[in-house]
Amino acid sequence: MATEAAHGGEEGGLVFHPMDQFIVKPLFGGEGVHWYTITNATLWMALTVLAIVALMVLGTSGRNRIPSRMQSVAEMAYGFIYKMVEDVAGKDAIRFFPYIFTLFMFIVTANLLGLVPTAFTVTSHFAATILLALSVFLTVTVLGFVLHGKQFLGLFWVSSAPLAVRPLLALIEVISYFVRPVSHSIRLAGNMMAGHAVIKVFAGFAAIAAVSPISIVAIAGMYGLELLVAFIQAYVFTILTCVYLKDALHPAH
Amino acid sequence: MEGDIAELGKYIGVGLTAIGMGGAAMGVGNVAGNFLSGALRNPSAAASQTATLFIGMAFAEALGIFSFLVALLLMFAV
Amino acid sequence: MATTTHEAAGHAADAAAAAPGMPQLDFSTWGNQIFWLIVTLVVIYLILSRVALPRVGSVLADRAGAIANDIAAAEDLKQKAKEAEAAYDKALADARVEAANIVAATKAEIQADLAEATARADAEISAKVAEGEKAIAEIRAGALEAAEVVAKDAAAEIVAAFGFTAAPDAIDSAVTEKLKG
């Protein structure tokens, strides 16, 4: 609230506040953001849950042999992720299918809902994506050690390389292993944030009458690109989860 | 004055990290282009390799995202 | 270093007020987001794994089963159609053989009838011919006899015309002699 008031003071000329859309603020007033406060982030997370329930539960409530439109979308999502888990992570990863499907559905729905004008994009916040990426990272690491014990460390010891370069490779492998959650989370949040910020910047240019048609066309174009990016980033997040899961299940290099 | 110079350096640094984006662009373009040329030679094998394509693109893109991260840290955290 | 601390302090102070910086790095909201995100994910996971995924899986399995059944049924029907076709072919071949048999039998019968009829006709014809021949022979014999009588009468008349009288026996014998001649 205070931020908007501050911006309101410096009116006149071009004003860009591309990052304002990401501000987390309490929905029902109140001072500060506590861990239990209902914020706009909470609202859009709840809407995400509702959208997923509408698609996956209400959409399939007919259990039709010949699917309705909603049901075929739900079945398509199911088949898409099932096949991805099976192909990328292997047949024994099927027991993690509900977990991976949850991640995919949450990310893709939150991304797409974030594209609704004036919406808040849950997945554009590092807090959210780091939690998602860390949950994958911890699952994979714990699973690897539980299933394979010390052998899981063989993931870092490239036995096919000459002995002399193995320590160096091991160092690189360890670094890249620990960089995984960072790149995993920053990629998603960064893509979401950048796209939304760019749209906002173009929207700022629309204030100048001479440029506004161009900026509106540019917004439309960016919006189409963002729809694609919203899906692709969810896909990439999910497929990388599958790849990491495969490492935990079959650590042999 | 001292703070202004630090500010200046910060923004120059942020601008320099944008070069990293070019590297990521080249990397992703390379992956996609090579995939396309391979796919046109053997279209029947292309469908089975789209997952690999996206994984490769994600890894190439990850390094561009690190430059983005450095830019963010410079801008807002340093 | 002093700058850094100053910046950090400034950041903390006007995190809410100024700093059109990054709301993402405003750590005061992280606890809130993480808490609600965990709630969200758990809710989604429970809904999906308890309700949605088994349902979709069962629908897909049901459809796959139905398709497999239909394909099996179609295969069955195809097999039946093939059998029916084979039966039909067999019936056709049987009918053809039977027809050929009937044709042959009928032909033989007709042949036999024909032969019989021909034989009867032949016999009738030969009987008629024999009768005719007999009649002709009778007529011939009758004519011969008549000629002899006429000849004898004529000879007696001729003799009488010449003014002679002759014994009828003599004339008879003479004429018979001549005719035999």
Side-chain angles (χ1 to χ4, degrees):
Chain A
M1 299 289 149
T3 338
E4 274 166 18
H7 290 325
E10 49 189 62
E11 206 56 66
L14 275 182
V15 189
F16 295 110
H17 302 300
M19 305 310 268
D20 280 5
Q21 57 179 323
F22 302 120
I23 292 172
V24 178
K25 44 185 178 270
L27 212 54
F28 304 112
E31 283 302 305
V33 177
H34 304 289
W35 63 268
Y36 52 84
T37 316
I38 310 258
T39 60
N40 47 358
T42 319
L43 170 70
W44 285 96
M45 283 181 204
L47 288 177
T48 307
V49 174
L50 286 183
I52 292 174
V53 167
L55 175 65
M56 297 303 298
V57 177
L58 303 184
T60 60
S61 59
R63 297 163 186 263
N64 298 320
R65 187 169 282 177
I66 296 155
S68 59
R69 265 183 268 180
M70 284 280 268
Q71 192 183 331
S72 48
V73 171
E75 281 170 13
M76 223 189 288
Y78 182 98
F80 179 64
I81 300 301
Y82 196 90
K83 194 171 170 298
M84 187 200 290
V85 173
E86 203 173 29
D87 288 354
V88 178
K91 282 225 183 288
D92 44 353
I94 289 298
R95 59 201 154 119
F96 296 102
F97 169 66
Y99 175 62
I100 293 171
F101 194 71
T102 304
L103 287 179
F104 176 77
M105 284 313 286
F106 174 73
I107 294 170
V108 79
T109 316
N111 285 355
L112 292 175
L113 281 181
L115 284 172
V116 175
T118 73
F120 177 87
T121 317
V122 178
T123 43
S124 68
H125 270 262
F126 293 131
T129 58
I130 284 174
L131 178 73
L132 292 169
L134 266 185
S135 74
V136 171
F137 179 77
L138 291 178
T139 310
V140 165
T141 311
V142 169
L143 190 74
F145 279 111
V146 166
L147 286 182
H148 302 285
K150 275 187 184 166
Q151 277 187 315
F152 185 59
L153 292 173
L155 189 63
F156 307 116
W157 197 249
V158 189
S159 49
S160 56
L163 192 60
V165 295
R166 273 188 216 173
L168 185 65
L169 281 178
L171 183 68
I172 293 172
E173 289 283 337
V174 168
I175 291 174
S176 81
Y177 188 79
F178 283 99
V179 156
R180 275 177 183 183
V182 179
S183 69
H184 208 182
S185 59
I186 306 271
R187 176 184 301 115
L188 179 56
N191 270 292
M192 287 297 108
M193 191 198 335
H196 286 248
V198 167
I199 288 181
K200 254 309 206 288
V201 168
F202 279 126
F205 276 120
I208 306 173
V211 216
S212 57
I214 300 170
S215 98
I216 287 166
V217 169
I219 289 173
M222 275 307 292
Y223 195 88
L225 186 68
E226 280 305 298
L227 279 176
L228 184 70
V229 166
F231 178 74
I232 284 188
Q233 288 309 317
Y235 175 70
V236 164
F237 192 98
T238 319
I239 207 165
L240 284 178
T241 306
C242 291
V243 170
Y244 299 159
L245 202 59
K246 193 188 94 193
D247 280 349
L249 296 170
H250 313 284
H253 230 286
Chain B
M1 188 60 198
E2 200 183 307
D4 287 350
I5 290 172
E7 199 86 337
L8 178 74
K10 202 160 92 174
Y11 287 123
I12 290 175
V14 170
L16 286 176
T17 56
I19 297 170
M21 198 168 72
M26 283 193 278
V28 173
N30 201 15
V31 171
N34 280 330
F35 175 80
L36 191 60
S37 68
L40 288 176
R41 268 169 221 266
N42 187 3
S44 59
S48 63
Q49 296 306 316
T50 44
T52 324
L53 167 73
F54 278 105
I55 294 170
M57 279 175 121
F59 283 135
E61 197 195 34
L63 299 166
I65 285 165
F66 289 148
S67 75
F68 176 67
L69 183 65
V70 169
L72 288 183
L73 289 174
L74 272 180
M75 281 272 273
F76 302 112
V78 176
Chain C
M1 210 59 214
T3 335
T4 322
T5 45
H6 160 75
E7 276 288 313
H11 232 276
D14 49 27
M22 284 188 56
Q24 277 91 344
L25 294 180
D26 179 5
F27 290 98
S28 65
T29 66
W30 277 45
N32 175 277
Q33 288 193 58
I34 288 171
F35 169 69
W36 285 111
L37 183 59
I38 289 172
V39 171
T40 305
L41 286 179
V42 168
V43 168
I44 295 175
Y45 180 80
L46 289 180
I47 290 172
L48 287 181
S49 64
R50 293 288 153 81
V51 183
L53 294 181
R55 186 185 287 172
V56 176
S58 73
V59 168
L60 289 179
D62 172 58
R63 184 171 312 143
I67 288 171
N69 275 350
D70 285 359
I71 286 173
E75 203 67 34
D76 215 36
L77 287 179
K78 201 174 162 192
Q79 193 63 37
K80 268 187 192 153
K82 252 182 198 163
E83 273 165 20
E85 198 190 345
Y88 168 76
D89 277 351
K90 195 169 169 292
L92 198 63
D94 282 356
R96 231 172 235 156
V97 168
E98 205 167 309
N101 282 346
I102 290 171
V103 165
T106 313
K107 204 180 250 177
E109 211 170 288
I110 289 170
Q111 205 76 44
D113 277 1
L114 193 62
E116 200 188 328
T118 311
R120 202 181 308 136
D122 276 356
E124 231 164 80
I125 288 166
S126 57
K128 283 227 170 106
V129 166
E131 210 170 289
E133 265 169 6
K134 201 172 139 204
I136 289 167
E138 261 170 32
I139 290 166
R140 190 176 282 163
L144 221 60
E145 215 166 290
E148 209 173 316
V149 171
V150 167
K152 282 171 186 169
D153 283 355
E157 288 295 314
I158 292 165
V159 170
F162 277 117
F164 297 103
T165 35
D169 291 352
I171 291 170
D172 274 3
S173 60
V175 170
T176 312
E177 197 85 359
K178 269 280 176 209
L179 282 173
K180 276 182 184 167

